[in-house]
Amino acid sequence: MEKYDVCVIGSGMAGLTAASLLTKKGLRVGVLEHNYLPGGCTSSYWRKGFVFETGATTLVGMDEHMPLRHLVNEIGLEIPMKKLQLPMQVHLANGKKINRYENLEEWIAEAERVFGKKNQRAFWEFCYDVSEFVWETSLKQKAFPPENISDLMQAASNADLKQVRYATWALMSMKKLLKRYGLLENKAFVDFVNEQLLITAQNHISEVNVLFGAAALCYTNYGNYYVDGGLINLVKPIVHYLKENESRVHLRNTVEKVTQKDDGYLIHTKKQGDIACDFVISAIPLNNTLPIFENIPKPAFSEKELKPALLNSAFQLGIGYEPHKKLPTLHHQIHLEEPLPEIGSASIFLSISHPEDHTRTDEPGQGVASVSTHISQPNSRSAIDKEKVEAAILNKLEELDFIRKDHIIYTHSSAQKSWEKWTGRAFGFVGGYPQYMKIKPWQMPGNRLDGKGAYICGDSTYPGQGIPGVTLSGIIVADKFMRDQKSYLKRKKYEREMSLL
């Protein structure tokens, strides 16, 4: 029977982050992934001559104080990436275009041009200030959310007056913030904010608090990057690091049950049978974690807020095509005059491959596009006519002159059933659990599952914010593990030193 110090269930960015940080501490970590590729919703796959993204299409989090930069520095990653000069363009339903510039002054001028000058500067300067605070604080407060006295002491030792002052913004919704700045009556602006929040916070202004909302709205004001060859090339260097340091990623290895033993845990897998470990970290959602763990109490959060009716899945359309012109940016959010048929989405998100990246197509001169949009209440939409959705999307893309239909070489689409099969996530939900005002940040599920040796990370414990958020959750669970298991780490270090003598 194979034995590891730690087993991590799921190879998304949260699981890979936790695995690599614990590997750096000298532990032997086994990552168990049900799919044939690592990365979860941060990956890429080849089909019919094109490399498509599995979910995320843009890379954020490389700025100072941000989680991905921390991980890159910690384990010495090299990522083949290009910085985008223009992170995103938004196309409003009224035909206006908005350039989401990274530079704050440029962005404020653009927002004033489109939405009027009333309080745009004050609103965006405030949001950017809050977002800076969020990311600067995120790596200082790695005990978040606090679960025991050790966490509280750790949080207190790293706290300052600014943190206490800014924490109160978690009690206010983005809707109230818009009202405070006199922007709630600006319908075009409210629609814009709602659709932008849906990308990273999975909800709208009445349910997203200001701390999360400000960071979500300002992600285009940080470095946005494109990874050559697709985001699988963010994942591969982490997998390589694990392998080079005696840890391992097991693909096509679904976990069916986790049993607690006197001396650790027994992981029952479909492919390899039983795998033993001293500790286990679930990097899959709570809705998937709770059924496979024996004798773990269900938190109140999972009973109330994790119902399938409150989750989002996604409709994604992959397109291989011949570009007919150069676009100003790779990423476009398109607001629709009429909701999409079958799923009712009010906007779509288009991402295209970088024109200088020739590794994602078999033939030169071709490009890859990915269109995604939300599917609310995925468990109640079992019979989606994908052809109707595809037709509406392609008509819109041609109308806006993004892609010509007669230049399309190949398409394929996926809805919630495909997402459930690919990611293993219950109900095919993606993007993290939506944020709700009744759940304060410190009330989110903790990282300790059983108070012994089982932990959890991922967008169950840090909802929204995409790659930076789930990477942060992996950093946090690794930090809590290392504080909880100091004697174990010392013993392992001693054993390694003795083995070298």
Side-chain angles (χ1 to χ4, degrees), residues 284-298:
I284 58 177
L286 271 171
N287 274 327
N288 291 89
T289 297
L290 297 176
I292 64 172
F293 274 78
E294 294 184 343
N295 304 320
I296 289 182
K298 293 185 178 182

Side-chain angles (χ1 to χ4, degrees), residues 52-122:
F52 296 98
E53 303 286 26
T54 61
T57 54
T58 185
L59 184 64
V60 185
M62 294 296 292
D63 295 73
E64 188 179 4
H65 306 304
M66 295 186 81
L68 191 58
R69 168 55 60 188
H70 174 81
L71 177 65
V72 166
N73 291 343
E74 281 290 305
I75 64 174
L77 292 181
E78 291 187 11
I79 304 168
M81 59 189 187
K82 295 180 172 67
K83 187 173 183 182
L84 304 183
Q85 296 305 307
L86 178 62
M88 185 199 302
Q89 193 172 69
V90 181
H91 304 255
L92 300 182
N94 61 13
K96 291 184 178 180
K97 297 178 184 178
I98 312 172
N99 292 319
R100 293 232 54 186
Y101 296 111
E102 178 182 341
N103 179 271
L104 184 62
E105 284 298 315
E106 288 184 275
W107 164 238
I108 290 172
E110 182 76 347
E112 289 178 338
R113 178 186 69 82
V114 175
F115 300 114
K117 289 197 172 184
K118 181 181 177 181
N119 286 340
Q120 287 291 324
R121 173 170 291 279

